[in-house]
Amino acid sequence: STFGELKNRLFHLRVDENGSSVKQAFTLPEFSQEIEGLVELPLDKQRHLVVLGGRGGDKGEGGRLYWGVLDREKGTLDFPDKGLQGVGVQAPQLGPGQRDISELQLRPDGTLWASAGADEGDQGPFKSSIYQLGTLKPDADSPFEATAQPKSTPIAGTKIEGFAPLGKGWLTGADNEALGGQVGILA
């Protein structure tokens, strides 16, 4: 995120048994929302669609998906006008303090999933949901197709901030503010 003079950046890292190094770094454009999720989808051997999840919630606005094209060979990350504007998402309604996107995950079948979280303060109450946003396709002009009736798994008592595929379910990570973190499994 942008903080003072520091601007949004995306890093391409190399991680191995000897440590990590930055292969490429990109300054991101200013989006209308704070970014809280990222997935990528290959377009061809060198180009990848990069999809970023805007969390929403600020001033009552819903979450948004933004996208650009990363060309590893040229070392560029370009955002088309539509990708900079983004598209709104349909998130389950959890109540006050909601963020529509706190993480994104892309399944091998092309389905795009998000987590949403809500908290009314550092002591809660907390609520979350993992829900299917739609599908991604390798199309830089219009990559996202929304699901008409999104599947949603509500999770009471915790605020999911990250999740990853675990078989057909999910491994979840929560930040319950003053109440600490929590790891869980959704089958």
Side-chain angles (χ1 to χ4, degrees):
S1 293
T2 296
F3 182 76
E5 296 298 314
L6 300 174
K7 300 297 179 198
N8 290 327
R9 293 181 293 166
L10 176 67
F11 296 96
H12 179 194
L13 303 174
R14 178 184 178 94
V15 179
D16 59 28
E17 63 276 356
N18 298 317
S20 63
S21 61
V22 176
K23 291 183 72 174
Q24 295 174 312
F26 304 94
T27 299
L28 296 174
E30 292 291 326
F31 298 107
S32 65
Q33 300 182 0
E34 189 173 333
I35 301 301
E36 292 206 4
L38 178 147
V39 296
E40 71 171 303
L41 180 68
L43 295 172
D44 54 43
K45 283 187 176 184
Q46 292 299 319
R47 297 179 320 129
H48 291 254
L49 183 69
V50 175
V51 178
L52 305 165
R55 72 184 196 164
D58 299 322
K59 302 173 192 156
E61 65 182 334
R64 299 188 75 72
L65 295 177
Y66 306 96
W67 66 90
V69 176
L70 170 66
D71 188 317
R72 290 190 176 149
E73 188 173 291
K74 292 180 181 177
T76 59
L77 177 59
D78 297 312
F79 287 83
D81 289 341
K82 283 183 180 179
L84 282 172
Q85 179 184 4
V87 295
V89 300
Q90 181 183 345
Q93 295 304 302
L94 302 174
Q98 177 162 327
R99 299 294 184 254
D100 288 352
I101 298 175
S102 59
E103 174 68 294
L104 293 175
Q105 288 293 329
L106 182 62
R107 289 280 194 177
D109 66 359
T111 55
L112 182 63
W113 294 77
S115 57
D119 73 74
E120 295 182 41
D122 287 350
Q123 301 293 323
F126 305 109
K127 298 176 194 167
S128 295
S129 183
I130 293 179
Y131 64 103
Q132 185 179 348
L133 284 168
T135 57
L136 279 185
K137 56 187 183 227
D139 178 351
D141 293 324
S142 183
F144 176 65
E145 185 176 317
T147 298
Q149 297 293 322
K151 296 177 185 174
S152 175
T153 302
I155 306 145
T158 192
K159 185 174 65 163
I160 303 296
E161 294 279 356
F163 68 108
L166 182 65
K168 292 184 178 186
W170 305 104
L171 177 66
T172 64
D175 171 14
N176 295 326
E177 305 298 338
L179 303 179
Q182 181 179 10
V183 174
I185 296 174
L186 291 176

